[in-house]
Amino acid sequence: MLTLSPLPEDELAIAQLEQLLSKGIPRLIGTNDQEIPLPPQVFEMLHKIIQCMVSGQVLHLIPAEQEMTTQQAADLLNVSRPFLVKELEKGEIPFRAVGSHRRVQFKDVMAYKNCRDQKRRRILDDLTALGQKLGLYDFEDTP
């Protein structure tokens, strides 16, 4: 995991970089004055990193295959470690055993989180639709 935290002395350079990146894909020039094409995916990632740094955010770049402890995964999901272990044992998130410990990959934790978030959104949408159907929402302003 790589942690990026903007330093006060870099604020001006970061702001200038953000202005440059907001105008489109810039050119990279190598040490031998050779132009190096910047792939669109690299540009997008760089632009997002710079935008976050301009706003003072600390970034953590984590490779998708990075393994995490159950406590790290539970913290990321904002759940208790015992709850996460139950989800692992139910097969909701793949893991591997290392002795008596379990390890999960970041990408698997994020896939679980995304699936859980989608289910929550669908349920909330269904509840909202039901509430509207039952007339529980009053959209008129009352004096």
Side-chain angles (χ1 to χ4, degrees):
M1 175 171 59
L2 173 65
T3 300
L4 302 171
S5 181
L7 300 174
E9 60 265 28
D10 295 333
E11 283 181 15
L12 179 60
I14 291 170
Q16 289 173 334
L17 244 173
E18 202 282 323
Q19 287 178 351
L20 177 70
L21 293 173
S22 66
K23 294 178 182 175
I25 299 178
R27 296 179 303 141
L28 288 179
I29 306 296
T31 54
N32 59 356
D33 290 332
Q34 177 185 2
E35 187 172 322
I36 303 165
L38 188 61
Q41 289 178 321
V42 173
F43 167 75
E44 288 176 30
M45 180 64 72
L46 180 61
H47 196 194
K48 286 179 184 178
I49 289 169
I50 296 299
Q51 286 174 329
C52 289
M53 292 180 86
V54 163
S55 64
Q57 297 179 42
V58 175
L59 296 164
H60 300 284
L61 300 177
I62 303 172
E65 287 76 26
Q66 175 77 38
E67 284 194 326
M68 309 170 73
T69 65
T70 52
Q71 187 60 61
Q72 290 170 325
D75 291 345
L76 181 65
L77 295 170
N78 200 26
V79 298
S80 70
R81 190 184 150 288
F83 174 82
L84 178 76
V85 169
K86 287 178 186 174
E87 294 295 283
L88 296 177
E89 295 301 327
K90 289 191 312 189
E92 296 294 324
I93 305 172
F95 71 95
R96 73 179 185 101
V98 179
S100 61
H101 302 283
R102 297 170 189 88
R103 296 289 182 263
V104 295
Q105 287 191 348
F106 176 76
K107 67 179 181 180
D108 294 330
V109 174
M110 292 308 295
Y112 171 83
K113 181 184 182 308
N114 291 336
C115 182
R116 184 181 67 169
D117 290 348
Q118 287 175 359
K119 285 179 187 176
R120 284 181 176 171
R121 273 187 232 110
R122 280 194 304 269
I123 291 169
L124 286 173
D125 289 345
D126 291 347
L127 285 172
T128 301
L130 180 61
Q132 288 175 343
K133 181 179 178 181
L134 295 173
L136 299 177
Y137 292 102
D138 183 13
F139 293 108
E140 294 181 29
D141 291 331
T142 53

